[in-house]
Amino acid sequence: HFAEWWLYATDKRLRTLASDNGEMRLRAEFGLGEVSKVEAHSFVGGGWVEATVDGKVHELARFTNACSKDASEFARALSSWLQKKELPEGMPQRERGKCPKCGRALPEEEGSCPFCLPVGRVARRLVRYARPYWFPALIGLMLLFAGQGVGVLPPQVMRKIVDDVLMSHGTLRALSLWCGALVGLHLLSIGLGMWRRWIMAWLGGKASYDIRMQLYQAMQRLSLRNYDRWPTGQLMSRMTRDCDMMEFLLIDLVQEALSTALMVFLMGTVIFMMNWRLALLLVVPVPIAPLVLYRLRRRFRALWHRVGRLWDHMNAVLADAIPGIKVVKAFAQEEREIGRFDKAANRVFQGVVSAERWWAVLSPVMGLIFFFGSTVIWWFGGAQVLFGKMTFGELVAFNAYVWMFYGPMQQVTYLWDRVFRAMTSVERVFGVMDAEGEPYEEPHAIPVPRIEGQVQFSDVTFGYEKGRPVLHDISLEVAAGEMIGLVGHSGAGKTTTINLVCRFYDVDSGKIVIDGHDLRRIRLGDLRRQIGVVPQEPFLFNATIADNIGYGNPHATRDEIVEAARAANAHEFIVRLPDGYDTVVGERGHRLSAGERQRVAIARAILHNPRILILDEATASVDTETERQIQQALERLVKGRTTFAIAHRLSTLRNADRLVVLEKGRKVEEGTHEELLRKRGVYHRLVKMQREMHREAARVKVVDG
């Protein structure tokens, strides 16, 4: 059950208070001098904070996941105080807030509530995309006004036909002229509409292009934390479906809204000029529609936000299955994947039906209300015709204007539904655009045109999720030109460490210093241009081999590309391909073997000519002979460069200046290969395990032979 807990510390005592039948009671109390360690542990539904006192572990407080970050920060701050008598850097200043209007938790620490964003503010921001094209927009607006003006005239022509021709026994020639006028007005209206739609189609295409380009630029600048939060399928959904909805809102819905508003104004003016008494009866049902829609606005907004999330989930399933189609077919799991997608698509179907069901009821109800209004007009208008206060032609024209007035009013219900649907997409796209990007051009960033390569970690703590650290208090000094090997079990934090060097993520506490500058203050472009990365799973673009090798250096000549390929021992297999360096590697490089992809990635890093080189299992996907050749190339490459290397085979790190052993996110050992073997610690155990595996593999080969 939920309860309220308070956990606090002074420089002398640590106390826990917990609610008991609505009353806060002291649950635990320790002198701070007795406490040796404080830790927070997070699990599926929540976690707890515990303290080690005189060698015994005591549970201090439990917390839900909403408080996991606060609990982790509290434990980290208190541990830092116990060890150093100082608080760590980067202590949180704000708590996650709630929306003051609806009370929902905000999605981000400084985010806005998606259910209460002012529609007017979002609409004004959206209109900015059409501002550069104000002239064609003005032409389209003028054509809209002209078309609406022409649309007012046919009922007046119909009144003339009824009163001046049919009721007055006019001539056939007069009837033909007035019917010709109706045809002419209709053709003019069609021509104006076609011209306006052509202009607005061009304007919509340009606005859609601008929106997609700005969204793609925002995606390129997003930090990797945001990519962890938004899977590929969700971002694809924003680029396709949501951008289409934004174009629909900006062009189609804006046109329809202006057309509806203008028609209501014109028809209202005309009917009041024709018969103000009947017009007063006509406007009685008008306030009902806006009032009902305003009262239900949050309900509709929540429904379409839910539909958007279901679309994201369906696209995520699709983006997950298509790249992994080889695995699906290898395990004959086609039916299983079809079932996964069917479940996700069915949830979208159910969500859309749930949202549309409201409009399926609301729209006919509004139509019925307006029908009653028109029936009342027929009764009162017919009575005036019977008493001679109104001609029959005037009644026919008035009723034509009634439906030209009520039609747009009923259209408001349809527009309101489409506006809420489109505004949800607008908010989702703007959410990506407004997300925190990488600080490429901070005003106070330090330009570092040449990095020497001295790297220092000072008490670095980091977690991909706030409150769940992966690295704990890592301290390490690396001299310029030194080669550091990172060793440890899978999940020990090796790849995370080099991700921080590249500043793919920022540390939660502590700092990383390069050449005396805090990594967070170096201009990001200068940093990335001088770091070369060969990842564990190399990614190749669907382009030629030459394009992939020269990706980090677009101005490289063909000779430089070939030289880099030779250094990576890739030239021999490349020239054996039918198109050589012009061979297109396919999506994700699937036309090359794993070892070939790895060597192309190494050539790409060599051509980049970095000052800091990062090798993340660079030889993991090659055979022993190819690994030996690559090691020779790497020995030449690392000279004069600071290198961080991770290798599955520990023997490949023998030439490293130092080895750093990580275990569960902590640095447990440091030294050369020989020094660590003499310590007979974690590294010695890893080497022993790997040797036993190699002996077993060799024994199997002998038996098979």
Side-chain angles (χ1 to χ4, degrees):
H1 65 279
F2 287 98
E4 185 176 1
W5 294 62
W6 286 81
L7 179 61
Y8 68 95
T10 68
D11 58 348
K12 292 183 172 53
R13 309 202 70 76
L14 175 64
R15 290 178 175 175
T16 299
L17 299 175
S19 61
D20 183 11
N21 295 325
E23 183 179 353
M24 300 298 295
R25 297 182 182 275
L26 182 66
R27 187 179 184 278
E29 181 176 14
F30 304 100
L32 207 58
E34 304 170 357
V35 180
S36 59
K37 184 169 62 173
V38 177
E39 292 183 311
H41 299 279
S42 296
F43 298 97
V44 176
W48 62 72
V49 181
E50 63 183 25
T52 303
V53 181
D54 294 333
K56 295 183 179 180
V57 177
H58 299 268
E59 180 185 297
L60 297 178
R62 299 208 171 207
F63 55 85
T64 59
N65 280 338
C67 301
S68 61
K69 179 184 175 183
D70 295 331
S72 177
E73 294 289 356
F74 180 90
R76 182 167 63 90
L78 195 53
S79 296
S80 177
W81 180 264
L82 292 172
Q83 296 171 10
K84 308 173 186 177
K85 300 301 181 185
E86 63 180 22
L87 294 176
E89 297 180 4
M91 287 297 295
Q93 300 297 321
R94 289 177 293 275
E95 295 181 357
R96 183 179 180 186
K98 292 184 177 181
C99 175
K101 291 185 178 180
C102 66
R104 293 182 175 92
L106 297 177
E108 301 295 334
E109 291 183 2
E110 299 181 14
S112 301
C113 178
F115 300 99
C116 299
L117 284 175
V119 176
R121 188 176 68 189
V122 176
R124 285 193 299 272
R125 181 176 177 182
L126 184 62
V127 169
R128 294 175 190 168
Y129 289 99
R131 188 176 297 171
Y133 314 108
W134 64 270
F135 184 72
L138 178 62
I139 297 297
L141 189 61
M142 293 173 63
L143 290 173
L144 174 65
F145 290 160
Q148 297 287 23
V150 172
V152 175
L153 299 178
Q156 294 296 332
V157 176
M158 293 169 59
R159 183 179 68 82
K160 286 288 186 180
I161 292 174
V162 172
D163 286 345
D164 297 348
V165 179
L166 299 180
M167 302 301 293
S168 301
H169 304 288
T171 64
L172 183 60
R173 181 174 180 274
L175 179 61
S176 300
L177 288 174
W178 284 115
C179 288
L182 276 178
V183 173
L185 289 173
H186 185 67
L187 292 176
L188 179 59
S189 177
I190 290 176
L192 292 172
M194 290 175 59
W195 190 7
R196 179 177 62 85
R197 280 190 288 273
W198 185 88
I199 291 176
M200 299 310 288
W202 179 89
L203 179 60
K206 289 294 291 183
S208 177
Y209 166 79
D210 292 344
I211 291 170
R212 281 192 169 88
M213 282 304 302
Q214 186 172 340
L215 178 60
Y216 188 73
Q217 291 170 4
M219 287 181 179
Q220 291 297 315
R221 293 185 173 90
L222 285 178
S223 65
L224 286 184
R225 281 192 186 274
N226 285 308
Y227 278 102
D228 295 338
R229 182 161 61 97
W230 284 313
T232 302
Q234 291 190 20
L235 294 175
M236 291 294 293
S237 179
R238 282 156 174 75
M239 182 61 75
T240 53
R241 175 180 176 270
D242 289 333
C243 282
D244 286 341
M245 291 300 296
M246 287 180 69
E247 179 187 354
F248 176 67
L249 173 61
L250 186 61
I251 304 304
D252 295 334
L253 289 185
V254 168
Q255 289 186 69
E256 291 186 32
L258 290 174
S259 175
T260 299
L262 181 59
M263 183 60 73
V264 169
F265 174 76
L266 290 176
M267 294 304 101
T269 302
V270 170
I271 60 179
F272 268 95
M273 291 177 62
M274 290 183 65
N275 191 319
W276 65 270
R277 292 181 179 85
L278 288 180
L280 287 176
L281 294 174
L282 183 70
V283 299
V284 170
V286 170
I288 297 177
L291 182 62
V292 171
L293 295 174
Y294 179 79
R295 296 284 296 180
L296 294 174
R297 68 192 187 283
R298 289 187 178 175
R299 174 65 178 171
F300 297 144
R301 207 165 184 174
L303 284 171
W304 286 116
H305 269 282
R306 179 173 178 267
V307 170
R309 292 194 298 272
L310 295 175
W311 267 96
D312 284 345
H313 177 67
M314 185 182 72
N315 284 322
V317 172
L318 194 63
D320 190 36
I322 292 177
I325 192 65
K326 287 185 179 179
V327 177
V328 174
K329 291 187 175 296
F331 289 91
Q333 294 297 312
E334 291 90 345
E335 293 300 323
R336 178 182 180 182
E337 290 303 319
I338 291 172
R340 282 182 63 206
F341 186 80
D342 177 72
K343 183 177 179 181
N346 187 59
R347 292 181 66 189
V348 172
F349 162 71
Q350 296 293 341
V352 172
V353 169
S354 178
E356 293 286 7
R357 188 178 291 124
W358 283 83
W359 301 105
V361 174
L362 193 59
S363 183
V365 169
M366 294 299 169
L368 184 62
I369 293 173
F370 292 135
F371 172 76
F372 285 145
S374 66
T375 304
V376 170
I377 295 301
W378 269 110
W379 191 88
F380 279 96
Q384 290 192 355
V385 171
L386 292 176
F387 290 114
K389 296 181 179 180
M390 190 177 188
T391 67
F392 182 64
E394 289 174 342
L395 179 60
V396 171
F398 191 90
N399 270 283
Y401 285 126
V402 165
W403 284 110
M404 293 175 70
F405 180 80
Y406 275 160
M409 290 301 302
Q410 193 168 354
Q411 187 77 358
V412 169
T413 307
Y414 165 81
L415 289 175
W416 203 253
D417 172 38
R418 296 303 182 266
V419 165
F420 273 122
R421 187 182 303 196
M423 287 298 291
T424 299
S425 295
V426 172
E427 292 160 5
R428 285 153 54 86
V429 171
F430 285 165
V432 175
M433 290 183 179
D434 296 339
E436 181 182 0
E438 292 187 290
Y440 280 97
E441 297 180 358
E442 284 187 340
H444 303 296
I446 302 171
V448 183
R450 177 179 171 82
I451 289 176
E452 297 301 326
Q454 182 182 3
V455 182
Q456 179 180 358
F457 286 71
S458 299
D459 298 324
V460 170
T461 296
F462 168 77
Y464 294 101
E465 297 181 25
K466 294 293 186 181
R468 299 185 179 184
V470 176
L471 297 179
H472 305 267
D473 300 319
I474 300 293
S475 295
L476 176 67
E477 292 190 9
V478 182
E482 190 175 12
M483 182 177 180
I484 298 296
L486 298 176
V487 180
H489 291 288
S490 178
K494 305 184 295 296
T495 301
T496 300
T497 302
I498 61 177
N499 283 342
L500 295 180
V501 175
C502 298
R503 205 186 170 189
F504 292 150
Y505 302 89
D506 280 334
V507 300
D508 294 335
S509 66
K511 61 183 178 179
I512 300 176
V513 176
I514 293 183
D515 293 349
H517 304 296
D518 190 321
L519 189 66
R520 291 166 291 191
R521 299 195 61 197
I522 297 176
R523 197 159 55 190
L524 195 56
D526 290 349
L527 174 69
R528 298 269 174 83
R529 278 191 292 269
Q530 300 182 74
I531 293 181
V533 181
V534 181
Q536 182 175 357
E537 298 178 2
F539 181 91
L540 300 185
F541 295 93
N542 189 14
T544 66
I545 291 178
D547 290 337
N548 275 283
I549 294 176
Y551 186 77
N553 189 357
H555 303 293
T557 65
R558 180 56 65 98
D559 290 340
E560 291 172 333
I561 291 173
V562 172
E563 184 180 350
R566 289 184 185 277
N569 286 331
H571 178 73
E572 287 74 15
F573 88 80
I574 294 175
V575 296
R576 288 197 300 267
L577 297 172
D579 296 322
Y581 283 86
D582 294 323
T583 301
V584 177
V585 300
E587 186 177 3
R588 300 173 183 265
H590 74 274
R591 295 178 183 172
L592 302 180
S593 69
E596 290 170 343
R597 289 197 300 269
Q598 192 71 280
R599 279 178 278 176
V600 170
I602 292 172
R604 180 167 56 193
I606 291 172
L607 185 61
H608 189 52
N609 193 23
R611 299 298 306 155
I612 297 177
L613 181 65
I614 292 176
L615 307 173
D616 186 0
E617 300 279 11
T619 59
S621 302
V622 297
D623 54 46
T624 305
E625 179 61 29
T626 305
E627 180 185 7
R628 185 178 296 110
Q629 296 174 356
I630 292 178
Q631 285 296 332
Q632 294 171 358
L634 292 178
E635 287 175 9
R636 297 190 299 270
L637 176 64
V638 300
K639 289 181 179 179
R641 294 181 173 88
T642 303
T643 304
F644 292 86
I646 300 172
H648 177 68
R649 301 184 183 98
L650 299 180
S651 58
T652 61
L653 297 177
R654 285 177 179 267
N655 296 328
D657 297 305
R658 274 185 297 154
L659 299 176
V660 175
V661 184
L662 299 176
E663 188 174 47
K664 295 182 180 180
R666 301 181 186 276
K667 188 182 77 171
V668 293
E669 292 178 354
E670 180 181 351
T672 64
H673 174 75
E674 291 75 15
E675 290 172 349
L676 294 179
L677 286 179
R678 287 196 295 269
K679 286 183 179 180
R680 304 185 68 83
V682 176
Y683 182 76
H684 179 270
R685 186 168 67 250
L686 291 173
V687 172
K688 183 179 179 182
M689 290 172 58
Q690 199 163 96
R691 285 175 178 171
E692 291 176 354
M693 290 175 62
H694 289 325
R695 289 197 197 100
E696 184 65 27
R699 188 179 302 115
V700 170
K701 288 181 180 179
V702 170
V703 172
D704 289 344

